Amino acid sequence: MSAEARWLTMTEERAWRGLLRMHDLLVNRAGRSMQEGFGLSATDYTVLAELTRAPDDRLRIQELAQLLGWEKSRVSHHLARMVKRGLVAREECADDRRGAFVVVTPAGRSAITAAAPRHVEDVRRYFLDHLTPGQVTLLAEIADLVIEKNEEEH
């Protein structure tokens, strides 16, 4: 690390702070909509969405943590709350006694099936409808690149 900090330019700071503010705004709005309409937090919805994309609606807990970009302890704590509410269940892994799977329950499947149309509507209303198709494509490319480069370093 160099002795002198590479301070952000005004435009770089605006981009960074704007990204953080936009993320918080969108997550809060979409989360509030999910909570009010379906009793799901934004985090619940994200977990259920990842699980329902997986074969047989199940993933190892470590795989889920990787997909979400969360520490394993955060995933475990959140899953414990979801288990209590009947949205997911833990299953032992027959091949590896140390590992466990998390699987969507019928109640969890029902919850995400009911919530998904509103979620898509919210994504459009709060985010996509304000952008041109070219901006959406550019943002997707930027996100892919930043994620890829950061995963390479990690």
Side-chain angles (χ1 to χ4, degrees), residues 18-32 126:
L19 174 68
L20 296 177
R21 176 74 178 111
M22 180 178 65
H23 172 268
D24 291 346
L25 177 75
L26 294 173
V27 168
N28 289 336
R29 281 202 159 171
R32 194 167 33 254
Y126 299 138

Side-chain angles (χ1 to χ4, degrees), residues 17-149:
R17 291 172 55 95
L19 174 68
L20 296 177
R21 176 74 178 111
M22 180 178 65
H23 172 268
D24 291 346
L25 177 75
L26 294 173
V27 168
N28 289 336
R29 281 202 159 171
R32 194 167 33 254
S33 179
M34 287 294 102
Q35 189 68 52
E36 290 170 0
F38 306 95
L40 296 173
S41 69
T43 307
D44 293 337
Y45 187 89
T46 300
V47 169
L48 290 171
E50 290 298 342
L51 289 171
T52 56
R53 286 185 189 104
D56 301 321
D57 293 348
R58 67 190 299 140
L59 287 168
R60 284 182 176 260
I61 293 172
Q62 186 60 41
E63 290 173 309
L64 180 60
Q66 248 182 329
L67 285 170
L68 297 172
W70 297 354
E71 295 294 322
K72 191 173 178 215
S73 62
R74 179 180 178 196
V75 173
S76 294
H77 289 302
H78 193 79
L79 290 177
R81 292 189 294 273
M82 292 179 77
V83 166
K84 285 181 185 174
R85 293 171 43 224
L87 299 171
V88 298
R90 290 179 188 256
E91 293 180 355
E92 295 302 315
C93 178
D95 300 343
D96 177 6
R97 290 287 176 203
R98 295 175 301 158
F101 285 101
V102 61
V103 60
V104 177
T105 63
R109 169 57 74 181
S110 178
I112 194 162
T113 298
R118 167 77 66 81
H119 173 72
V120 171
E121 181 183 312
D122 289 345
V123 169
R124 290 193 180 287
R125 180 176 52 236
Y126 299 138
F127 180 58
L128 295 173
D129 288 349
H130 304 292
L131 303 173
T132 66
Q135 289 171 323
V136 172
T137 300
L138 181 58
L139 184 55
E141 291 170 359
I142 291 167
D144 289 346
L145 177 65
V146 171
I147 292 166
E148 176 187 326
K149 293 300 182 183

